[in-house]
Amino acid sequence: MTTAEPVTRTSPYQHYVYAYPHKTAYRALPDRPSLKALWAAEPKDTLSLYLHIPFCEVRCGFCNLFTRIGAPDGLTGAYLDALERQARAVREALGETDDVRFATAAFGGGTPTFLTAAELDRLCDIAEHRMGADLRAVPLSVEASPATATADRLAVLADRGTTRLSLGVQSFVDAEARAAVRPQRRAEVEAALARVRDTRIPVLNIDLIYGIDGQNEQAWRHSLDAALAWRPEELYLYPLYVRPLTGLDRRGPGQATAPDPAWDEQRLRLYRAGRDHLLAHGYTQQSMRMFRRTDAPPQGTDDYACQTDGMIGLGCGARSYTAGLHYSFDYAVGMHQIRGIIDDYVATEASDFAHAEVGHPMNPQEARRRHLLQSLLQAEGLRLDDYRARFGGAPADDFGPELERFADRGWLTDTDPTTLRLTPEGLAHSDAIGPELFSPAVRAAMTAYERK
């Protein structure tokens, strides 16, 4: 193990590592490999299914997800037509029916509940009848917004087997919602939460954001308590980021890249206050962001389950993962470019859906990095015997200098010799630890990506 570099100040907020490598590391695949060839040797008995809906009623100021505001007449129907063509092509590429089984399913976006109740019913039909996923037999998670969580939409989702509904609230303080360019009122949020609870979907998740301009500890506690009043089975606490090409970035150009130690300290302070408040109210910490009520019903897989190999993504913003390739469609943040990609997707013929267009090959070293990232950023950590069984060695053999730096900063605990685990302060710095584990090749590809 090499000598660790001197400890330097590291911003806690660099990248939210929800997938590795990030889509900005993906590139066009010149050989356009066939899905049939990509999936031929892959295990297909515990697949994950993800359907992406790239529409929202508004776009929040902090959002850099692949989504567009609204949809002209006929576009959502045309999008579902394309999704069905893609599903047919992908299902055919997977091969024999008896060999293919789905263990989890999720609808994300965008906002899946932007679709009408009838369109949501059709979305479920695509998952079930075209892909073969039994939505009533596996965990099904769906994302929603307060404005689109209407009684008729929720009734469809509950009837089709939804086990988890994630509601993007972000703040119960109207002034904070406006500051984050999220036009909603608390009364609308409370009404939506009441409708969700009326459906008796087993798991309600509420998303909240800290670090909003003008937010202090008292206001943050106010939002936490308002959420806790609904006894959600899960709560996600997200630090605010200002990303390039987003609404907040346009309000203050340069914020997306300029270091801001005072903002870092504000977000860290609010994170710790939120964490401690939830722990004191019967929640357990699953990751930096995720907290689960101690008595919540089991939901199956957690944060990074959909990032494992054997992921089938349908829709123009979805990723798919095999052991050797992560692939998707083109990626953008800007509205004009997103609209063009959606239009291209809607016009795609069935035969073109049988090929991978954009992606990132995964070699054994990148697979090690990905597994370390996905495990270490969870509160339970990485079991060393599991890593050895998968890769034939110890994490320190492959990532010794990085792990030594983390230990020097007080981010790794040594209380359990069987597990590599972050300390509470390490979890607080998850968004610095993840990017530090990116490979040089992935960093170079992300840096070279031309934003659009």
Side-chain angles (χ1 to χ4, degrees), residues 246-306:
T246 61
L248 288 178
D249 184 45
R250 289 192 295 272
R251 283 187 166 191
Q255 290 184 36
T257 54
D260 190 338
W263 192 27
D264 285 350
E265 287 305 314
Q266 179 209 17
R267 286 179 287 181
L268 267 178
R269 184 173 64 256
L270 294 176
Y271 160 78
R272 292 171 179 140
R275 174 199 63 195
D276 294 348
H277 195 59
L278 294 187
L279 293 178
H281 281 77
Y283 286 75
T284 59
Q285 186 168 17
Q286 308 293 309
S287 68
M288 172 186 165
R289 287 164 171 74
M290 182 185 180
F291 295 80
R292 177 176 289 145
R293 211 177 71 208
T294 305
D295 61 346
Q299 171 60 15
T301 50
D302 284 335
D303 294 37
Y304 291 91
C306 66

Side-chain angles (χ1 to χ4, degrees), residues 203-222:
V203 174
L204 165 64
N205 172 70
I206 296 177
D207 289 344
L208 296 176
I209 285 181
Y210 54 92
I212 299 171
D213 189 30
Q215 187 182 51
N216 56 30
E217 226 171 296
Q218 181 180 4
W220 178 227
R221 177 73 66 90
H222 179 77

Side-chain angles (χ1 to χ4, degrees), residues 128-195:
E128 289 198 335
H129 304 320
R130 300 302 174 214
M131 292 304 297
D134 187 350
L135 298 183
R136 292 179 179 84
V138 302
L140 170 60
S141 178
V142 181
E143 297 173 3
S145 68
T148 61
T150 58
D152 58 340
R153 292 175 170 106
L154 293 172
V156 168
L157 294 175
D159 181 63
R160 299 303 292 261
T162 301
T163 56
R164 178 180 182 271
L165 195 289
S166 181
L167 199 69
V169 173
Q170 318 314 347
S171 176
F172 284 85
V173 179
D174 290 350
E176 289 180 2
R178 289 193 298 272
V181 194
R182 184 177 178 86
Q184 68 184 22
R185 296 181 178 178
R186 177 171 176 175
E188 298 166 348
V189 172
E190 299 280 1
L193 286 164
R195 291 192 296 271

